[in-house]
Amino acid sequence: SDINTALAAMAPTDKQAPAVRHALGVRHALATGNYFRYFQLYASAPNMGGYLMDNFADRERCSALQKMCRAYRPRLSLDFITQSLAFDTTEECAKFLASLNIPVLVDGQQPAVDMKAALPYAVAAMQKYEKVDIKGQIY
């Protein structure tokens, strides 16, 4: 691909620049589906990189939420989700979850999400990001 060609043409000293190293880290995190590393890089983006990453942050949040629904049961605290998905506040995270129709439970404990009940909504949220090409292949 064009990215691999550009990487091969770069001098090793160019690859050590902080912004380039960050971009390569983001590329690797996206390629491997490592949402935890992606959101760490999102929070520490140099220069104006965070604004560029904003373009696909919601897609990665939906993907990460889907993985979290499968990995964590029965509940997951809203604080943990907020931190994992790099939201600034729990209110911002709750608003994002509400936009996906995922309820936040508050019953005397700290706010949490029932991950089993949230899974169908997380799967549905990811469907809007799937693209089908002319041959019917999903990518």
Side-chain angles (χ1 to χ4, degrees), residues 49-126:
Y51 293 107
L52 180 61
M53 293 174 75
D54 280 341
N55 291 324
F56 38 90
D58 281 347
R59 180 192 71 203
E60 293 307 310
R61 284 179 171 139
C62 289
S63 175
L65 191 59
Q66 189 175 359
K67 291 173 186 175
M68 293 168 84
C69 285
R70 289 189 171 111
Y72 298 101
R73 297 284 173 96
R75 290 180 164 197
L76 198 56
S77 75
L78 186 61
D79 290 336
F80 182 81
I81 297 171
T82 300
Q83 183 181 14
S84 297
L85 302 183
F87 284 106
D88 293 328
T89 65
T90 55
E91 291 79 18
E92 187 180 340
C93 181
K95 188 183 292 185
F96 174 76
L97 293 173
S99 73
L100 302 178
N101 297 320
I102 297 174
V104 175
L105 309 172
V106 182
D107 57 358
Q109 303 173 5
Q110 62 181 355
V113 173
D114 180 348
M115 300 309 276
K116 185 175 181 178
L119 180 59
Y121 298 109
V123 170
M126 272 309 294

Side-chain angles (χ1 to χ4, degrees), residues 14-38:
D14 293 338
K15 292 180 185 176
Q16 296 305 314
V20 174
R21 285 183 42 194
H22 181 269
L24 292 174
V26 169
R27 176 180 167 269
H28 184 263
L30 287 173
T32 59
N34 186 345
Y35 72 87
F36 184 77
R37 181 70 181 135
Y38 171 81

Side-chain angles (χ1 to χ4, degrees), residues 126-138:
M126 272 309 294
Q127 288 177 347
K128 70 179 177 183
Y129 295 108
E130 291 180 352
K131 296 179 182 173
V132 179
D133 69 5
I134 192 115
K135 296 178 185 176
Q137 299 169 331
I138 297 174

